[in-house]
Amino acid sequence: MSDTPEARVQRELEEGIQRDFSASMSYGSYLDLDRLLSAQHPRSVPPQHDELLFIVQHQVAELWLKLMLHELRSARVLLTTDDLAPALKRLARVKHIQNQLTEQWSVLATLTPSEYAQIRPFLATSSGFQSYQYRAVEFMLGNKNRDMVAVFDHDPTAKDLLSEALGEPSLYDEFLRYLHRRGYAIPQAVLERDVTTPYRMDDDLVDVFAGVYADPSQHWGVYETCEELVDIEDNFQTWRFRHLQVVTRTIGHKTGTGGSSGVDFLRRALDLTFFPELYAVRTRIGG
């Protein structure tokens, strides 16, 4: 037979490729795929084709959020030990995770209002508002809200995670403490603030960052970290906006399944900021 592309109907397995997994770990067992791929439980009766999309979309988002928390926690620990370079590596990975989360909305946006209406009754009172990992990410970035912890009274694991995150310094808190140890004039009120409360802008801290941005070459590591944090907030806002747009095109101005006002509630989140001084300083740059 001629050895042409048309004639090559299959690729032969190489001799060294593992075939027997009776006593060896396989790809599926390492990733626990039996459990992972059996974790989708559509509730619609009669079954609706698009419900699997809705479930997988949100389960995948939760996996990315799990990894994001892992990277943010590591970055925070590295800042406490003054290891800025590897902390920046963690933040760079966080940005790529955020890109994945934002791009996912394009898949869910293929769900039309008519299609979603077929599955929405079966969601009952469940809502993305109740994602405790998303709340933990917000807490990690400084948007603390004690009232959110009570939403998870029914789930001890989630409540314990959020209670712990509420009481811990945010990533930004640890960055400012790092700057203090490096000799920057971080206001004492910022260093001693109650970390269980939402972060509030300090005008004196804007002066500190104005000095950094006035001479980046002399403050390169700090300057780079500031821009990484701005990237993360920018990405977060892009994610929020895409969420808002997908919800708008899918349910309009209906009330959310979890009881929120829906689109209006999501729109107000766009006014939240994690690192206010890093945006305020931009007004100072270039005089």
Side-chain angles (χ1 to χ4, degrees):
M1 180 181 294
S2 174
D3 188 22
T4 64
E6 294 79 9
R8 300 188 205 115
V9 296
Q10 72 176 33
R11 180 177 58 172
E12 297 296 330
L13 292 183
E14 297 172 352
E15 284 298 319
I17 290 178
Q18 182 77 24
R19 293 173 173 82
D20 181 3
F21 296 97
S22 57
S24 303
M25 179 179 291
S26 70
Y27 173 82
S29 58
Y30 176 73
L31 295 177
D32 202 2
L33 288 184
D34 285 346
R35 182 162 56 163
L36 181 65
L37 298 179
S38 62
Q40 295 74 46
H41 305 289
R43 309 298 179 99
S44 55
V45 180
Q48 297 297 318
H49 173 82
D50 297 299
E51 190 175 5
L52 184 61
L53 160 62
F54 193 85
I55 292 171
V56 168
Q57 168 94 18
H58 289 84
Q59 287 183 338
V60 170
E62 290 296 330
L63 288 173
W64 283 126
L65 288 169
K66 181 174 183 176
L67 182 58
M68 190 187 301
L69 279 170
H70 176 68
E71 300 297 338
L72 288 171
R73 288 190 186 108
S74 178
R76 185 177 61 184
V77 169
L78 289 164
L79 286 174
T80 66
T81 57
D82 296 342
D83 292 321
L84 186 61
L88 289 174
K89 170 66 175 177
R90 304 293 191 270
L91 298 185
R93 182 174 292 166
V94 166
K95 294 193 297 184
H96 287 290
I97 295 169
Q98 290 178 300
N99 289 338
Q100 293 294 319
L101 283 164
T102 299
E103 285 300 314
Q104 280 189 207
W105 289 122
S106 297
V107 184
L108 195 62
T110 65
L111 191 66
T112 69
S114 300
E115 292 164 346
Y116 180 61
Q118 299 300 312
I119 64 175
R120 193 177 196 229
F122 302 98
L123 302 181
T125 56
S126 65
S127 166
F129 175 82
Q130 299 147 16
S131 168
Y132 67 86
Q133 290 196 121
Y134 172 82
R135 297 301 164 190
V137 168
E138 284 210 324
F139 282 16
M140 174 70 75
L141 295 176
N143 184 23
K144 303 289 185 76
N145 185 343
R146 187 182 297 275
D147 292 340
M148 280 303 309
V149 179
V151 173
F152 300 94
D153 282 343
H154 68 287
D155 186 340
T157 299
K159 185 174 182 179
D160 288 348
L161 184 148
L162 284 178
S163 296
E164 181 179 359
L166 183 71
E168 293 174 336
S170 71
L171 178 72
Y172 194 46
D173 287 323
E174 290 298 358
F175 176 51
L176 297 178
R177 294 176 183 185
Y178 165 84
L179 294 181
H180 172 67
R181 292 192 299 273
R182 302 286 291 185
Y184 290 84
I186 307 302
Q188 200 63 29
V190 171
L191 296 171
E192 296 176 354
R193 79 177 197 89
D194 180 357
V195 298
T196 67
T197 61
Y199 187 85
R200 296 288 183 261
M201 190 174 82
D202 187 292
D203 289 333
D204 291 336
L205 186 54
V206 179
D207 294 337
V208 174
F209 287 126
V212 171
Y213 278 84
D215 193 354
S217 63
Q218 293 299 313
H219 308 273
W220 187 258
V222 173
Y223 173 75
E224 182 181 5
T225 307
C226 291
E227 287 299 289
E228 288 288 319
L229 293 174
V230 170
D231 285 346
I232 287 173
E233 174 147 348
D234 194 22
N235 287 347
F236 209 101
Q237 290 289 49
T238 300
W239 182 92
R240 284 171 170 161
F241 182 74
R242 286 292 291 129
H243 185 194
L244 170 66
Q245 291 300 96
V246 171
V247 171
T248 301
R249 69 180 287 167
T250 306
I251 67 169
H253 288 269
K254 291 186 180 72
T255 300
T257 51
S260 75
S261 58
V263 166
D264 291 338
F265 180 77
L266 295 175
R267 184 174 288 113
R268 289 196 296 274
L270 295 173
D271 293 329
L272 300 174
T273 182
F274 299 122
F275 318 121
E277 294 88 359
L278 298 183
Y279 284 89
V281 74
R282 280 154 166 73
T283 306
R284 305 267 195 95
I285 298 169

